[in-house]
Amino acid sequence: MSPRVRRHRGARESLTSVILIAESLVVFLGGLVVFGLKVLPDGIEDWWGIVGGSVLAVLMIVTAGLTRHLWAIVVGAVLQLVLAAGAILVPALLMAVAVFGGMYVYATIKGGALDERNAALAAQAETNGD
């Protein structure tokens, strides 16, 4: 029985998934900060900060596993905007939005360019018989 051949992962898929996984940890900790600072509006229990951070972190992890699809890249961008909305409660989250959002945008643009270049090189090598 031969070993299973792994599916080829492009640069955009690899980079965006790594960024989303790392960001999920920061998002979870951000939920703990929302809970600890008690910044939620009156009438909303403080433990909802932990729930919100946990749900957003899990969504990021799930999206990271699906980044081979273009729609998942878009979902990842929407999750960046959701985190930016959390900066209304804790302005320090803007730093996480700036760092991870910037990396996410760079990964989608540069990773896509690398994937196109690699595909062109592979096609060229195939036509040359290499």
Side-chain angles (χ1 to χ4, degrees):
M1 191 168 180
S2 63
R4 187 176 139 222
V5 177
R6 292 183 59 168
R7 181 181 60 81
H8 173 72
R9 293 182 54 169
R12 181 173 62 181
E13 179 183 351
S14 297
L15 292 171
T16 54
S17 63
V18 166
I19 291 167
L20 286 172
I21 294 291
E23 188 176 15
S24 68
L25 177 63
V26 173
V27 167
F28 174 73
L29 294 174
L32 292 176
V33 169
V34 168
F35 170 75
L37 294 178
K38 302 183 185 322
V39 294
L40 291 175
D42 293 336
I44 300 177
E45 296 293 327
D46 294 323
W47 54 267
W48 279 106
I50 297 173
V51 172
S54 299
V55 167
L56 188 55
V58 167
L59 286 174
M60 286 182 170
I61 292 169
V62 169
T63 303
L66 298 170
T67 55
R68 66 181 162 270
H69 305 289
L70 181 60
W71 60 265
I73 300 292
V74 174
V75 169
V78 170
L79 293 175
Q80 302 297 322
L81 295 174
V82 171
L83 180 59
I88 294 170
L89 298 173
V90 180
L93 285 177
L94 280 177
M95 288 179 22
V97 170
V99 171
F100 285 102
M103 288 191 310
Y104 192 81
V105 168
Y106 182 79
T108 56
I109 294 170
K110 191 62 174 180
L114 286 171
D115 290 341
E116 288 175 12
R117 190 195 91 194
N118 291 340
L121 289 174
Q124 183 182 17
E126 194 172 295
T127 58
N128 291 339
D130 290 339

